[in-house]
């Protein structure tokens, strides 16, 4: 960073994070788009942690309980998230196994770590430059929703494979836990005020 | 994208009126608004967030693509989605069946969430955008609560998951490829095209362009 950058806050102003318009302090709502104005969201980290913990709590049963209940000619199999990936891998569908592995294991775990790291190190520069922190935040915000793939896969399989006793697939309890976990961690990422990353 | 050139926004704030300033929503860096031509982009010098990227005839194009996407969504809802056959048995699922896969018992909330993510929220966003932009494209005053409508459309952006659903369908098809043969129906193809339309539509949306047009639109409404 060669040059000094002036922020709206340093200029004694408050900016709208929805449309970018700048206002005098103590303005309540943006005069252009109506969004509430805060210079920095002081309760942001508190909400991030609340959603993070909620997401982690439901992520545990999501991995322990079955995601899919398959019934083929009276034989019942239950597969967990990890079990489903192993199955795809064993079938030789490597690219798809990797997509599911990324969407349901790498992204969620990576997201928990990244959000926790950002929440703990916000405006500290010990481990990462401010640019790297910002990049990490953008990645977390962008990629989190893609974990929902696995929930949709279960929904499609369960609605399609319904041949009464010959073959049927039903959703397991993990599907609902996993969906909640994705929603909660998305809320955690959205609760961040990215402007605080840049504050000194 | 090579046609786009990045332009700098000045940062000399001596006597700049408030409405000629913009701040980066991601890092709060303050800028003096400069005219940005269609196909040019103004990005934040510090964090790289694109702040302004106007496109020519953006509103007309966004409206056309949104209406097309809404029509495709309607078609997708009422036509067969996937047809499965295995050992002489047939089964088919519409998008609605897919969303309702969890509808019994304690899984019901999940069904509601799936309906919302793949049907209701995408349709609502498209509708809100059309509602906001139609009067502006015709040079008329903005509709009632147009600002609120566009703000809601923006807030719903992360929760519209049609494109994620399409990848989910692809994964599901591979998963059952071994046990049955699957034929995609009309709804499947319209859903795929709809996702492309939505991504294309989104590439024309420049928030600064929409908000400044809305602001002008509401002022003419107030003085008229
Ligand atoms: Zn605003
Ligand atoms: Zn910035």
């Amino acid at each position: 960073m060669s040059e000094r950058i002036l922020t709206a806050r340093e200029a004694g102003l408050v900016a709208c994070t929805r449309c970018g318009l700048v206002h005098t302090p103590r303005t309540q709502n943006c005069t252009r788009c109506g969004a509430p104005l805060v210079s920095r969201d002081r309760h942001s980290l508190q909400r991030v942690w609340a959603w993070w913990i909620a997401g982690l709590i439901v992520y545990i049963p999501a991995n322990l309980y079955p995601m899919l209940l398959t019934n083929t000619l009276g034989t019942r199999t239950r597969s967990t998230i990890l079990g489903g990936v192993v199955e795809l891998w064993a079938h030789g569908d490597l690219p798809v196994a990797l997509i599911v592995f990324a969407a349901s294991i790498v992204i969620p775990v990576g997201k928990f770590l990244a959000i926790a790291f950002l929440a703990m190190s916000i405006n500290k520069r010990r481990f990462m430059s401010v640019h790297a922190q910002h990049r990490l935040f953008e990645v977390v915000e962008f990629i989190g929703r893609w974990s929902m793939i696995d929930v949709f896969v279960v929904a499609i399989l369960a609605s399609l494979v319904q041949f009464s006793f010959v073959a049927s697939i039903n959703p397991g309890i993990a599907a609902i836990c996993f969906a909640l976990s994705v929603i909660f961690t998305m809320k955690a990422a959205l609760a961040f005020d990215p402007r605080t990353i840049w504050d000194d | 994208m090579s046609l786009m050139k990045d332009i700098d926004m000045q940062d000399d704030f001596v006597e700049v009126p408030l409405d000629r300033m913009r701040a980066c929503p991601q890092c709060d860096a303050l800028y003096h608004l400069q005219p940005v031509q269609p196909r040019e982009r103004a990005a934040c010098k510090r964090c790289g967030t694109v702040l302004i990227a106007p496109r020519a005839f953006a509103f007309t194009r966004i409206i056309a693509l949104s209406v097309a996407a809404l029509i495709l969504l309607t078609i997708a809802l009422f036509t067969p989605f996937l047809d499965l056959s295995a050992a002489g048995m047939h089964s088919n699922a519409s998008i609605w069946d897919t969303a309702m896969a969890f509808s019994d018992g304690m899984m019901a909330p999940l069904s509601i969430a799936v309906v919302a993510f793949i049907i209701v929220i995408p349709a609502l966003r498209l509708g809100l955008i059309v509602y906001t932009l139609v009067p502006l494209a015709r040079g008329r005053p903005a509709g009632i609560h147009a600002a609120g409508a566009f703000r809601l459309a923006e807030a719903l952006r992360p929760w519209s998951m049609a494109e994620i659903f399409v990848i989910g369908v692809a994964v599901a098809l591979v998963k059952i490829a071994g046990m049955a043969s699957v034929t995609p129906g009309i709804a499947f193809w319209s859903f795929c095209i709809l996702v492309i339309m939505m991504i294309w539509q989104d590439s024309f949306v420049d928030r600064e362009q929409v908000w400044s047009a809305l602001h002008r639109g509401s002022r003419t409404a107030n003085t008229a």
Side-chain angles (χ1 to χ4, degrees):
Chain A
M1 280 185 292
S2 48
E3 51 196 316
R4 179 90 186 87
I5 288 208
L6 182 71
T7 63
R9 183 192 182 84
E10 287 161 350
L13 300 165
V14 52
C16 171
T17 52
R18 290 252 179 246
C19 75
L21 200 64
V22 180
H23 304 76
T24 49
R26 273 188 287 284
T27 314
Q28 294 287 313
N29 288 81
C30 176
T31 51
R32 185 159 72 156
C33 74
L37 297 172
V38 269
S39 179
R40 292 296 179 273
D41 187 348
R42 265 179 295 136
H43 305 292
S44 146
L45 279 185
Q46 219 167 308
R47 278 184 289 128
V48 170
W49 281 118
W51 287 117
W52 187 88
I53 292 165
L56 190 64
I57 289 171
V58 283
Y59 188 63
I60 295 164
N63 281 281
L64 297 179
Y65 288 98
M67 189 88 168
L68 278 181
L69 311 169
T70 317
N71 188 347
T72 349
L73 296 166
T75 327
R76 289 166 170 279
T77 40
R78 304 154 149 258
S79 52
T80 56
I81 291 176
L82 193 60
V85 175
V86 172
E87 221 171 276
L88 278 170
W89 188 278
H91 272 277
D93 297 313
L94 290 191
V96 182
L98 285 179
I99 291 177
V100 179
F101 183 66
S104 42
I105 295 167
V106 178
I107 294 178
V109 172
K111 202 161 73 155
F112 281 120
L113 295 176
I115 293 176
F117 171 77
L118 283 173
M120 284 189 291
S121 67
I122 211 149
N123 63 50
K124 295 188 194 76
R125 310 271 180 272
R126 277 256 293 287
F127 304 103
M128 242 188 209
S129 75
V130 64
H131 283 272
Q133 282 181 340
H134 180 83
R135 177 67 46 196
L136 182 64
F137 171 74
E138 281 182 329
V139 170
V140 165
E141 207 186 24
F142 170 79
I143 220 164
R145 15 195 323 274
W146 286 91
S147 294
M148 212 51 111
I149 287 179
D150 224 22
V151 176
F152 293 146
V153 170
V154 174
I156 295 155
L157 292 179
S159 61
L160 205 53
V161 186
Q162 290 300 345
F163 297 117
S164 59
F165 65 96
V166 181
S168 65
I169 293 180
N170 287 299
I173 195 79
I176 199 164
C177 300
F178 188 77
L180 282 177
S181 172
V182 177
I183 293 171
F184 292 167
T185 48
M186 278 175 72
K187 294 289 283 181
L190 289 169
F192 257 106
D193 186 344
R195 297 172 298 181
T196 53
I197 294 177
W198 298 87
D199 289 338
D200 291 314
Chain B
M1 295 295 146
S2 55
L3 277 171
M4 294 191 180
K5 70 170 202 234
D6 293 327
I7 71 152
D8 265 345
M9 298 219 277
Q10 281 176 14
D11 43 8
D12 173 16
F13 297 104
V14 186
E15 317 223 326
V16 176
L18 269 188
D19 65 345
R20 299 299 302 162
M21 286 188 212
R22 293 293 179 274
C24 172
Q26 296 288 316
C27 76
D28 211 30
L30 196 58
Y31 295 101
H32 176 193
L33 192 62
Q34 297 297 306
V36 182
Q37 300 305 316
R39 289 198 162 266
E40 288 180 339
R41 306 197 291 178
C44 177
K45 267 192 247 173
R46 181 156 76 162
C47 74
T49 304
V50 176
L51 302 175
I52 305 174
R55 303 290 298 265
F57 309 109
F59 294 174
T60 321
R61 287 168 164 183
I62 296 167
I63 293 165
L65 289 167
S66 304
V67 171
L70 277 170
I71 294 169
L72 286 166
L73 186 63
T74 317
I75 295 173
L77 278 179
F78 296 104
T79 50
F81 186 54
L82 294 171
D83 188 276
L84 186 79
S85 59
M89 297 178 86
H90 267 282
S91 146
N92 54 61
S94 66
I95 290 196
W96 187 252
D97 293 330
T98 304
M100 282 298 149
F102 307 113
S103 61
D104 39 68
M106 58 184 302
M107 295 299 220
L110 195 50
S111 253
I112 296 170
V114 173
V115 174
F117 292 150
I118 68 176
I119 301 168
V120 179
I121 294 176
L124 182 60
R125 280 202 75 223
L126 293 168
L128 290 168
I129 288 169
V130 171
Y131 174 78
T132 309
L133 296 186
V134 165
L136 300 179
R138 293 168 158 194
R140 299 244 181 96
I144 314 162
H145 302 305
F150 189 68
R151 208 146 46 90
L152 180 59
E154 285 290 300
L156 288 174
R157 182 188 286 269
W159 306 100
S160 168
M161 301 191 179
E163 73 278 25
I164 301 173
F165 179 68
V166 168
I167 304 295
V169 174
V171 173
L173 291 186
V174 171
K175 275 201 165 189
I176 33 180
M179 60 188 276
S181 66
V182 182
T183 325
I186 298 171
F188 176 84
W189 299 114
S190 30
F191 208 87
C192 291
I193 302 169
L194 139 85
V195 165
I196 296 167
M197 294 267 181
M198 284 172 68
I199 295 168
W200 196 14
Q201 179 250 57
D202 201 51
S203 73
F204 289 111
V205 178
D206 171 37
R207 287 174 201 177
E208 179 60 36
Q209 202 176 6
V210 176
W211 283 121
S212 61
L214 268 175
H215 203 48
R216 261 182 277 123
S218 64
R219 260 181 303 189
T220 42
N222 287 341
T223 50

